[in-house]
Amino acid sequence: MVDEGVSFTISLSENSRIPKYKQIVDSIINNISTGKLQMDQKLPSINMLSEEFYLSRDTVEKAYNILKKRKIITPIRGKGYYVTRTKLIAKVNVLFLINKLSSYKMRIYNSFINSIGGNSQTDLHIYHCDQTLFLNLIDKYLGGYDYYVIMPHFKSDDLTHFSSGEGVLQAINKIPKEKLVILDNNKGIEDSVIEVCQDYENDIYGALKQGLAKISRYNKLILIYPESSVYPYPRRILNGFKRFCVDSGLEYEVLREVYDDIVLKKGDLFITIEESDLVSLVKQIRDKDFELGREIGVISYNDTPLKELLGITVISTDFKMMGATAASMILNKESGKIKNPFNFIDRNSI
């Protein structure tokens, strides 16, 4: 096939079990990767390809739609389809959907990118725990990627957390299970080929058990758990905390936030989830002349480099390992469900 003096070929095999539309996609990508197709070069029309290879228009149109979704080609009204992306052409194309742009989520994403290497193209989208936005993204990009990496965290109208409502499950079920990768949270999603997740209730329970020798020195445990939030947290965290306290015979209380004039007493041990609550609590402890780590203890949920620098004890999953494990499984074409490590990390605040 020739276009303005530049030759490229589209190879189709009648004996292959690969669908014809996928063979067209792979052929065009191969031509771009080898330099036979250049940026802004015009592709054969749908009619031309269908006539030359005795294919239905629907088959060719499906191939072009996949290339269009990947932004490899762009249609120009009245002129045809043109190559618009020549740098992509990676062996693995990944759509990465994150529920919020937090430091924790970005550590997972960055670890994934660093581990999967240069033979991939990963497109990142943030859906802000919004089910409608998530569904629109799935609908827009369905069929355009080799893998769909999803962190399923959503918020209801009253700003509480849910993992997989009916609409979410219907959308995810449209993704072939061999292309579905679930990270961080999974409750009710069964058909993923790769899963690297936390177990929120048992994770917090187990991590607090690891630190029981120090925790039991305190008179009362107070969990700061926001009942509703712009980015809500799984209620399983709260359930695991309560179960730990009951099983360990420890007095406890659950508060929705760190109040500006919160009552502090010697022997209190606070567990905070949100960064703003941690900052407010530590400031009030210092302002009221309590000694952090001796008179009042603080444990923070989810580790960050800053918490490590400041000596804040944490209970946390290993975000870096989560991203690296998922990337490794994709590269090695592995499947399976892996529980990501979650630990009590003892520092100076308890």
Side-chain angles (χ1 to χ4, degrees), residues 67-259:
L67 293 166
K68 186 171 65 173
K69 283 183 179 180
R70 292 190 187 179
K71 296 182 171 57
I72 298 171
I73 66 174
T74 298
I76 299 177
R77 183 179 291 275
K79 292 187 176 182
Y81 289 87
Y82 290 80
V83 177
T84 54
R85 187 177 182 188
T86 56
K87 289 185 179 177
L88 113 157
I89 309 311
K91 293 182 178 178
V92 179
N93 290 281
V94 180
L95 180 65
F96 205 104
L97 295 178
I98 293 181
N99 62 297
K100 63 179 178 178
L101 196 60
S102 69
S103 60
Y104 321 120
K105 307 296 181 176
M106 292 311 297
R107 287 175 71 187
I108 298 172
Y109 172 73
N110 289 329
S111 175
F112 179 88
I113 292 298
N114 291 335
S115 299
I116 204 165
N119 289 330
S120 69
Q121 171 67 34
T122 302
D123 294 334
L124 173 66
H125 289 272
I126 317 297
Y127 64 90
H128 304 289
C129 294
D130 186 296
Q131 180 178 233
T132 300
L133 179 54
F134 175 83
L135 296 178
N136 288 339
L137 287 168
I138 294 294
D139 184 62
K140 180 177 180 180
Y141 293 110
L142 187 65
Y145 289 85
D146 300 307
Y147 288 94
Y148 296 78
V149 180
I150 297 172
M151 297 185 194
H153 293 272
F154 302 93
K155 58 186 175 186
S156 62
D157 291 339
D158 60 355
L159 298 182
T160 56
H161 180 277
F162 70 95
S163 300
S164 54
E166 183 177 349
V168 171
L169 287 175
Q170 288 177 355
I172 289 177
N173 285 337
K174 294 178 183 178
I175 301 170
K177 65 180 181 179
E178 68 272 11
K179 295 186 175 186
L180 181 60
V181 180
I182 300 296
L183 288 191
D184 192 40
N185 172 49
N186 188 13
K187 190 173 177 62
I189 302 170
E190 301 296 335
D191 289 334
S192 59
V193 66
I194 296 173
E195 178 184 311
V196 187
C197 292
Q198 303 184 59
D199 178 357
Y200 289 94
E201 180 172 340
N202 290 321
D203 280 347
I204 188 171
Y205 183 94
L208 293 175
K209 277 290 188 183
Q210 290 176 35
L212 181 60
K214 280 197 166 184
I215 290 171
S216 59
R217 294 192 292 108
Y218 290 87
N219 300 327
K220 187 176 186 179
L221 274 63
I222 302 106
L223 174 66
I224 311 298
Y225 177 83
E227 285 288 342
S228 59
S229 173
V230 174
Y231 298 114
Y233 298 91
R235 196 168 183 83
R236 285 164 282 160
I237 296 172
L238 176 59
N239 295 340
F241 168 78
K242 287 181 176 179
R243 183 158 61 89
F244 164 77
C245 292
V246 171
D247 289 353
S248 303
L250 299 171
E251 183 182 355
Y252 71 90
E253 184 176 2
V254 178
L255 303 178
R256 299 183 62 166
E257 62 180 299
V258 172
Y259 303 100

Side-chain angles (χ1 to χ4, degrees), residues 16 29 110 163 169 217 335 343 348:
S16 176
I29 287 177
N110 289 329
S163 300
L169 287 175
R217 294 192 292 108
S335 62
N343 292 298
N348 299 330

